[in-house]
């Protein structure tokens, strides 16, 4: 794309189109057996997002059950110690269940109920989306089955136990690389088999249309609140936004309401793992190429023959070989910058935020914090950065203790 | 006329139905697959479906997932599958071959390059599981330009509107997925299949193949009464894994297919 084409794409940004595409990305790439259900879901989503009663119920739940609005916090001590721009944190870690994931699960579960579905399934990597799904299923009295890679079950034992306490069945997935992507495959297989009763709550802005648009719409509350909160606190929009990108739901939730605000720079932070050059990372936007995975066309990590390759990140929630198709488009049109943060940089940021501000961030969110600290140093101290602190780090303390050779 | 059209016309003239075995190419090796293809033809197969292994086969059950993993571990690729077809064509120019798999390996090769290579290799049709007609315009054009039939799925959940969409673009045959679920799943409801296939037949003149869940000669015979072709996949792969891909495996594949052939042909003469 040349510069004027990119500019035009940003000017009249209103995506996806009717067929679920963001430029060449997105779409519906699934087997015929799912097409009718996806059509049914698309119709329900379009209908209820216009329905004042549905939106009222959703708003009430977000306020009274999730605890919204989440605050924007000025990390003053961190900003001073780091030098450069002022860092503000959008505190999604303070939501019920400890992450942004519940913004989406509550929306989709209410939709499932309206559609007459009695059974909820989900995939999960770090377990945050699984917990958020099991939570809303418990509250609405819906049967819940969560698919999780066998390797992730080992890495995230506390979240597995939480899901079980909430009444969900956690199914260990032993196919492929035994991580998030395989859990997603298995959930799709369950869905196609139990299509009459079952609603599939995808946890990120991936999957076939309408999921990338629908999950975004449920997550944009992050950016809508954050935009107003920054105006109220500082009198102007932030100069930059920073969020971590695995599938990319917390990031698109923050970014989307700012796409038309040209003065705001946007940074999505992928997991660079042990370093992009080592191949041991989860950074398809930085080091992958467009392809088709899990129902949509997007940047993916695959070998030359088109098979998906295994990814690596210290953070299970970022350990995914694809990315939401809208991020692929925002990259191509140049509206968002996608950068990488390595495992050790994320760990440093984890400790820094914990020690300096008394906030224990999720390892996923630590990637965003790490990049914000770098970026801030290149900016003036009267400039501002809004970072999405997408989750709290309690779930990660076992991983970190283990890395540091401490037995809990 | 294409190999697929000739094949179905000849069968029709004889009052027979097509027996369509599916094996994953390269499970456990390319040489086994090639030898097995010839054995399947001897057993009475009319069309061969070759699975192109992919790391994330979302629509497949355990049996074909594992077959895909074994084939990938053994180094099979889309180019490797085309090479198997080329070798097969040296001694068999008659049996139609259909590749079945997922879109990403084809995306990476490029639609035009793949269609052209597939034509040169002697491929007759391609069924790409994760591309519905809505997304397939460019791919279908490339196939048709190279004389390759774009084959599509229909399922128990397909509405008349969707049946029409598929009938509009499909060539070769339409593959009816006989149950809600993944490949190799549980029980078939013959009356439901019959009802749906009759509806499909109102909207297309090309043959309708039925698959997913065909495990025994009896089921094959029942299905052959409804459709124009019977696809059997997971049951054959089980034959291969039960015998670790040895010559006994080829014999087991031959025996199962041959029993299906005999059971299906018994219908024709009744």
């Amino acid at each position: 794309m040349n510069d004027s084409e990119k500019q035009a794409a940003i000017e009249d940004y209103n995506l996806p189109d009717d067929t679920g595409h963001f430029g060449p990305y997105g779409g519906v790439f699934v087997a015929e057996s799912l097409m009718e259900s996806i059509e049914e879901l698309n119709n329900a989503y379009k209908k209820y997002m216009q329905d004042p009663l549905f939106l009222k119920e959703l708003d009430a739940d977000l306020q009274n059950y999730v605890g919204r609005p989440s605050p924007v916090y000025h990390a003053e001590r961190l900003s001073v110690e780091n030098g450069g721009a002022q860092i503000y944190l959008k505190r999604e870690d303070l939501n019920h269940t400890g992450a942004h994931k519940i913004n989406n699960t509550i929306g989709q579960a209410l939709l499932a109920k309206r559609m007459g579905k009695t059974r909820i399934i989900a995939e999960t990597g770090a377990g945050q989306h699984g917990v958020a799904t099991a939570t809303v299923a418990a509250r609405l009295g819906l049967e819940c089955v969560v698919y999780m890679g066998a390797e992730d079950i080992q890495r995230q034992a506390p979240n597995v136990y939480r899901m079980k306490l909430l009444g969900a069945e956690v199914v260990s997935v032993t196919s492929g690389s035994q991580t998030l992507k395989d859990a997603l495959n298995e959930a799709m297989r369950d869905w196609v088999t139990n299509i009459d009763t079952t609603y599939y709550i995808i946890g990120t802005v991936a999957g076939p249309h309408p999921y990338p648009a629908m999950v975004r719409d449920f997550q944009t509350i992050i950016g809508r609140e954050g935009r107003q909160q920054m105006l109220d606190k500082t009198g102007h929009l932030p100069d930059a936004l920073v969020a971590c990108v695995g599938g990319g739901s917390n990031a698109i939730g923050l970014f989307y309401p700012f796409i038309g605000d040209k003065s705001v720079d946007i940074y999505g932070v992928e997991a660079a793992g042990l370093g992009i050059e080592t191949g041991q990372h989860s950074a398809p936007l930085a080091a992958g190429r467009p392809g088709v995975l899990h129902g949509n066309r997007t940047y993916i990590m695959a070998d030359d023959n088109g098979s998906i390759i295994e990814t690596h990140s210290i953070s299970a929630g970022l350990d995914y070989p694809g990315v939401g198709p809208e991020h692929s488009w925002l990259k191509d049109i140049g509206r968002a910058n996608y950068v990488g943060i390595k495992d050790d940089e994320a760990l440093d940021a984890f400790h820094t935020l914990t020690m300096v501000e008394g906030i224990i961030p999720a390892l996923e969110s630590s990637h965003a914090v790490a990049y914000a600290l770098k970026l801030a140093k290149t900016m003036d101290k009267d400039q501002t950065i809004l970072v999405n602190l997408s989750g709290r780090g309690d779930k990660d303390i076992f991983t970190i203790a283990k890395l540091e050779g401490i037995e809990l | 006329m294409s190999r697929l059209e000739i094949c179905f016309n000849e069968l029709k003239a004889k009052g027979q139905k097509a027996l369509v075995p599916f094996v994953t190419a390269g499970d456990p090796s390319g040489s086994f697959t090639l030898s097995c293809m010839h054995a399947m033809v001897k057993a009475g197969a009319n069309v061969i479906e070759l699975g192109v292994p992919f790391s994330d086969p979302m629509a497949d059950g355990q049996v074909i997932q594992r077959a895909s993993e074994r084939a990938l571990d053994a180094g099979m690729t889309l180019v490797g599958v085309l090479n198997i077809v080329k070798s097969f064509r040296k001694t068999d120019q008659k049996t139609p071959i259909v590749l079945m798999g997922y879109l990403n390996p084809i995306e990476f090769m490029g639609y035009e390059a793949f269609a052209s290579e597939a034509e040169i290799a002697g491929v007759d049709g391609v069924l790409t599981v994760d591309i519905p007609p809505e997304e397939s315009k460019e791919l279908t054009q490339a196939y048709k330009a190279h004389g390759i039939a774009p084959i599509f799925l229909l399922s128990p959940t397909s509405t008349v509107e969707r049946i029409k969409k598929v009938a509009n673009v499909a060539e070769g045959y339409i593959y009816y997925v006989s149950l809600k679920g993944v490949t190799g799943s549980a029980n078939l409801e013959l009356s439901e299949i019959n009802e749906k296939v009759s509806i499909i037949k109102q909207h297309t003149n090309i043959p309708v193949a039925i698959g997913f869940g065909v495990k025994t000669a009896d089921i094959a015979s029942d299905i052959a009464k409804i459709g124009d072709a019977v696809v059997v996949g997971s049951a054959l792969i089980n034959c291969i894994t039960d015998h670790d891909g040895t010559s006994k495996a080829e014999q087991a594949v031959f025996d199962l297919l041959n029993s299906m052939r005999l059971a299906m042909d018994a219908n024709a003469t009744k």
Side-chain angles (χ1 to χ4, degrees):
Chain A
M1 280 179 125
N2 64 36
D3 285 351
S4 67
E5 283 168 340
K6 285 183 182 178
Q7 209 48 48
I10 296 169
E11 290 291 333
D12 49 356
Y13 195 93
N14 180 25
L15 296 172
D17 63 18
D18 289 343
T19 55
H21 294 86
F22 305 86
Y25 303 112
V28 182
F29 292 90
V30 297
E32 175 64 27
S33 323
L34 284 174
M35 288 300 289
E36 192 54 29
S37 296
I38 284 171
E39 186 63 29
E40 183 196 4
L41 172 62
N42 197 20
N43 290 336
Y45 152 70
K46 280 194 284 197
K47 176 180 163 192
Y48 288 112
M49 290 307 270
Q50 307 291 327
D51 177 352
L53 283 175
F54 177 82
L55 294 174
K56 201 175 157 199
E57 191 179 348
L58 176 60
D59 280 349
D61 272 356
L62 288 172
Q63 189 182 327
N64 304 315
Y65 189 67
V66 176
R68 303 206 71 89
S70 68
V72 160
Y73 168 73
H74 182 194
E76 278 186 86
R77 210 159 93 81
L78 182 72
S79 305
V80 169
E81 284 206 359
N82 184 62
Q86 301 303 306
I87 294 172
Y88 288 79
L89 304 175
K90 178 63 174 161
R91 297 291 309 274
E92 291 298 300
D93 61 315
L94 295 177
N95 292 339
H96 181 39
T97 72
H100 71 289
K101 291 291 185 187
I102 199 163
N103 300 330
N104 167 49
T105 59
I106 206 139
Q108 288 201 54
L110 290 176
L111 191 58
K113 205 147 189 190
R114 290 282 201 291
M115 291 171 73
K117 305 291 181 182
T118 56
R119 182 172 174 270
I120 297 285
I121 57 170
E123 84 295 337
T124 198
Q128 292 303 92
H129 173 58
V131 168
T133 302
T135 298
V136 298
R139 175 159 176 273
L140 295 174
L142 300 165
E143 187 189 343
C144 180
V145 177
V146 178
Y147 290 91
M148 190 165 182
E151 192 180 313
D152 289 335
I153 285 181
Q154 293 295 322
R155 290 198 279 192
Q156 304 287 339
N159 271 342
V160 175
Y161 187 57
R162 270 183 204 112
M163 286 184 266
K164 287 181 181 167
L165 287 174
L166 289 160
E169 182 192 345
V170 180
V171 178
S172 173
V173 177
T174 56
S175 58
S177 61
Q178 312 193 0
T179 58
L180 178 57
K181 79 174 177 71
D182 309 287
L184 213 151
N185 292 335
E186 209 53 41
M188 283 278 183
R189 292 178 188 122
D190 178 314
W191 195 26
V192 75
T193 308
N194 301 295
I195 208 138
D196 299 331
T197 59
T198 298
Y199 184 102
Y200 179 16
I201 301 188
I202 293 185
T204 191
V205 285
H209 178 69
Y211 284 102
M214 177 169 65
V215 176
R216 175 196 72 194
D217 289 350
F218 287 131
Q219 291 293 2
T220 50
I221 188 139
I222 302 171
R224 290 201 308 273
E225 284 177 5
R227 195 173 186 282
Q228 191 57 49
Q229 286 164 319
M230 287 303 284
L231 287 171
D232 293 345
K233 272 188 191 324
T234 68
H236 50 79
L237 293 175
D239 296 291
L241 305 174
V242 180
C244 65
V245 178
S249 69
N250 91 80
I252 207 76
L254 177 67
F255 298 168
Y256 190 71
F258 292 90
I259 287 177
D261 298 315
K262 283 183 198 162
S263 68
V264 180
D265 292 336
I266 298 179
Y267 297 90
V269 186
E270 291 187 301
L274 303 178
I276 300 288
E277 70 287 354
T278 65
Q280 300 286 306
H281 59 81
S282 303
L285 289 168
R289 58 185 270 197
V292 172
L293 176 67
H294 292 151
N296 66 96
R297 183 180 284 116
T298 191
Y299 280 83
I300 59 171
M301 288 174 54
D303 64 23
D304 290 343
N305 300 307
S307 268
I308 308 306
I309 54 179
E310 292 191 18
T311 52
H312 165 81
S313 169
I314 190 173
S315 139
L318 301 182
D319 204 349
Y320 179 65
V323 63
E326 191 161 16
H327 288 293
S328 294
W329 183 237
L330 291 175
K331 171 189 158 84
D332 282 9
I333 64 175
R335 180 61 189 100
N337 308 290
Y338 293 91
V339 295
I341 282 291
K342 293 195 284 189
D343 288 352
D344 53 357
E345 295 174 303
L347 263 177
D348 285 349
F350 172 91
H351 285 298
T352 302
L353 189 66
T354 302
M355 291 296 292
V356 177
E357 292 289 352
I359 295 171
I360 303 180
L363 276 174
E364 290 78 12
S365 321
S366 299
H367 286 72
V369 174
Y371 189 75
L373 292 173
K374 277 190 186 177
L375 180 66
K377 286 183 177 147
T378 68
M379 295 165 67
D380 295 333
K381 71 174 191 305
D382 58 350
Q383 289 187 294
T384 58
I385 301 174
L386 180 60
V387 180
N388 197 6
L389 199 69
S390 55
R392 68 177 179 222
D394 304 52
K395 71 181 172 59
D396 294 313
I397 59 172
F398 302 94
T399 306
I400 287 160
K402 201 174 163 193
L403 279 169
E404 296 180 347
I406 298 164
E407 203 156 325
L408 294 183
Chain B
M1 225 189 303
S2 73
R3 267 190 288 260
L4 277 165
E5 286 169 303
I6 294 167
C7 169
F8 280 103
N9 285 346
E10 284 182 3
L11 287 167
K12 200 171 183 183
K14 288 192 279 186
Q16 287 181 329
K17 301 298 177 68
L19 177 57
V20 184
F22 168 99
V23 292
T24 300
D27 169 34
S29 69
S31 56
F32 175 84
T33 302
L34 177 60
S35 167
C36 191
M37 288 166 77
H38 290 299
M40 293 194 296
V41 174
K42 286 195 194 92
N46 306 104
V47 177
I48 292 175
E49 286 189 355
L50 271 189
V52 180
F54 179 55
S55 54
D56 292 75
M58 280 197 315
D60 283 299
Q62 283 278 339
V63 173
I64 294 178
Q65 285 174 48
R66 300 295 185 214
S68 262
E69 286 175 15
R70 285 191 298 271
L72 290 172
D73 286 345
M76 188 49 60
T77 62
L78 182 52
V79 172
V81 177
L82 293 174
N83 286 337
I84 292 175
V85 178
K86 261 181 214 162
S87 303
F88 178 82
R89 281 276 171 260
K90 284 179 190 161
T91 50
D92 187 328
Q93 286 89 42
K94 184 165 182 266
T95 310
I97 295 178
V98 171
L99 302 190
M100 183 166 177
Y102 293 79
L103 184 58
N104 200 53
I106 296 172
E107 286 258 323
F108 272 32
M109 190 182 281
Y111 293 172
E112 172 57 31
F114 169 68
S116 153
E117 290 296 319
E119 181 185 24
I120 293 166
V123 170
D124 302 285
V126 180
L127 197 175
T128 308
V129 177
D130 54 348
I131 191 164
E134 285 87 340
E135 298 282 357
S136 74
K137 198 173 162 200
E138 200 188 324
L139 184 60
T140 305
Q141 276 171 357
Y143 287 166
K144 291 186 178 177
H146 289 278
I148 290 170
I151 294 172
F152 285 89
L153 298 169
L154 280 171
S155 86
T157 54
S158 302
T159 56
V160 168
E161 199 180 310
R162 294 209 55 78
I163 291 170
K164 285 182 184 166
K165 259 185 199 168
V166 166
N168 256 331
V169 290
E171 289 181 6
Y173 55 90
I174 286 170
Y175 187 140
Y176 180 66
V177 173
S178 53
L179 47 79
K180 293 177 187 173
V182 294
T183 48
S185 299
N187 297 323
L188 299 181
E189 289 293 338
L190 289 174
S191 61
E192 283 177 25
I193 297 171
N194 196 12
E195 202 178 317
K196 199 76 180 189
V197 171
S198 317
I199 298 171
I200 295 169
K201 289 267 182 193
Q202 290 166 18
H203 298 280
T204 185
N205 295 320
I206 65 173
V208 177
I210 301 173
F212 278 39
V214 179
K215 291 178 178 131
T216 63
D218 286 348
I219 301 174
S221 150
D222 288 340
I223 292 292
K225 290 172 195 156
I226 302 170
D228 302 299
V230 179
V231 185
V232 51
S234 298
L236 295 176
I237 289 173
N238 281 332
C239 290
I240 297 172
T241 45
D242 287 350
H243 299 88
D244 291 329
T246 60
S247 57
K248 276 186 191 160
E250 197 175 294
Q251 186 63 44
V253 167
F254 179 94
D255 290 344
L256 178 59
L257 269 185
N258 197 238
S259 71
M260 289 179 167
R261 174 84 268 164
L262 295 173
M264 286 163 61
D265 290 351
N267 292 339
T269 52
K270 256 176 216 166

